[in-house]
Amino acid sequence: MKEVQYFAPQRMNEALKLLAKHRGKITILAGGTDLVPKMNHHLLKPEMLLYVGRLGLDYIKKEDGRLAIGAATSWSKLAASRLIADKVSALQQAARQSSCAAIRNTGTIGGNLGSASPAADLATPLLVMDAELRLSRAGKNRLVALKDFFKSPGETVRKPDELIVEIRVPLLKGKSVFLKVGRRKAMTLSVVNVAVRLEMSGKTCKEARIALGSMAPTPIRCYKAEGLLKGKVIDKELITRCAAEAVAETQPIDDGRATAWYRKKAGTVLVTRALEQAAGMAT
């Protein structure tokens, strides 16, 4: 591999200037859990690397009716955070179930979202919480709803001179749940992952969110399935219909981890279980 230029700025304005100057030629490095293996296997040969671990983006705080999570916050910090546990329990569940301790200590939330993997475990919990991303470029910031961020596998709406700086999570009502299935019980990519959030009033659903990962080219919201629940009294029959509708909105494929047929079967079971838990019906 040819020599790679490496930058590790300590100030945000310096990092954004570098992105603007070397637009399209510079690759962002955070935890490196996805990037470094690609480099080692010669699947990616960056000209320049911009390390963002010294920019002060490792934080979780409550402000203005939302949680603000720095893009360089590690999976381990998400898993251990009392704020995350209290306000976004599905996100904590996802962080705790991912890979091994070494990867959780290194991998970052911004990296997981920015890699745009269809199987990204942190994406679905954030989708059901209506999360937004703050993207920064020299002299400008913009907010992008996470549901509009992913374009295709490995592709997002982030411009080459932009940096994911922060994830903003509204403090919404209701219970959120994350479930996944992989080829083994630990240290594995999701064959299917699901997150749901239900706001209940007794047995009636006031608001519903359902998201699925590894079931389409990107993590997705299941809008038709959500519509079946809103304003309805929740029972097992309705949950069964809703789970079938959620999976009907997906486009799973056959790959090295599972067949499309298996993903549909597993996805239906996971959505059913997650909805039962969120509705307080699980035994």
Side-chain angles (χ1 to χ4, degrees):
M1 180 181 291
K2 65 182 179 181
E3 185 175 339
V4 179
Q5 287 186 271
Y6 176 80
F7 303 98
Q10 298 185 53
R11 295 187 298 274
M12 181 61 66
N13 63 348
E14 182 183 353
L16 298 181
K17 285 179 181 178
L18 285 166
L19 283 172
K21 180 179 179 180
H22 303 291
R23 181 186 172 98
K25 296 182 179 180
I26 195 163
T27 300
I28 295 169
L29 170 64
T33 56
D34 185 59
L35 175 64
V36 172
K38 289 180 179 178
M39 293 174 62
N40 288 341
H41 289 90
H42 304 287
L43 299 174
L44 183 66
K45 300 179 181 180
E47 295 183 42
M48 305 172 185
L49 290 174
L50 175 67
Y51 177 60
V52 298
R54 303 172 70 186
L55 297 177
L57 299 179
D58 179 10
Y59 58 83
I60 302 169
K61 57 188 178 183
K62 183 179 177 182
E63 60 180 24
D64 301 325
R66 66 171 65 90
L67 291 186
I69 307 172
T73 301
S74 70
W75 293 63
S76 291
K77 192 164 187 173
L78 295 172
S81 168
R82 175 50 55 188
L83 267 178
I84 297 295
D86 290 344
K87 306 299 183 182
V88 200
S89 57
L91 184 59
Q92 185 188 58
Q93 293 161 17
R96 285 182 169 179
Q97 292 181 49
S98 178
S99 194
C100 62
I103 297 297
R104 291 194 296 270
N105 288 341
T106 308
T108 66
I109 186 171
N112 188 246
L113 299 175
S115 295
S117 166
D121 281 345
L122 301 187
T124 47
L126 292 168
L127 282 170
V128 301
M129 294 303 296
D130 298 342
E132 297 179 315
L133 304 185
R134 180 158 67 91
L135 305 180
S136 295
R137 61 197 297 193
K140 189 175 182 180
N141 290 286
R142 65 173 175 139
L143 291 176
V144 176
L146 185 60
K147 65 183 179 65
D148 300 323
F149 181 67
F150 304 110
K151 294 173 65 177
S152 62
E155 277 196 78
T156 72
V157 300
R158 184 184 70 84
K159 295 180 173 61
D161 59 348
E162 286 183 317
L163 182 66
I164 303 173
V165 173
E166 187 175 86
I167 296 86
R168 297 186 174 192
V169 186
L171 299 179
L172 303 176
K173 295 180 180 179
K175 181 178 180 179
S176 64
V177 174
F178 173 86
L179 297 173
K180 70 182 281 186
V181 63
R183 296 184 66 185
R184 52 183 183 264
K185 290 188 176 181
M187 294 179 62
T188 183
L189 285 172
S190 290
V191 167
V192 181
N193 71 61
V194 59
V196 306
R197 178 174 61 84
L198 297 183
E199 181 186 346
M200 303 291 292
S201 177
K203 295 184 179 181
T204 301
C205 176
K206 296 179 65 177
E207 193 63 76
R209 294 287 187 274
I210 303 170
L212 281 163
S214 203
M215 292 284 284
T218 68
I220 62 167
R221 283 267 305 277
C222 302
Y223 295 101
K224 291 181 181 179
E226 293 171 0
L228 291 178
L229 299 177
K230 190 172 180 179
K232 305 290 180 57
V233 174
I234 303 297
D235 57 24
K236 289 188 178 293
E237 181 182 351
L238 181 57
I239 284 177
T240 298
R241 286 201 293 121
C242 180
E245 178 57 49
V247 171
E249 296 181 57
T250 66
Q251 299 172 299
I253 62 170
D254 297 339
D255 63 16
R257 283 178 286 132
T259 63
W261 175 88
Y262 179 80
R263 284 189 161 98
K264 289 180 180 180
K265 295 294 184 180
T268 302
V269 172
L270 288 185
V271 174
T272 300
R273 290 176 180 173
L275 289 173
E276 288 177 347
Q277 290 182 31
M281 297 171 59
T283 56

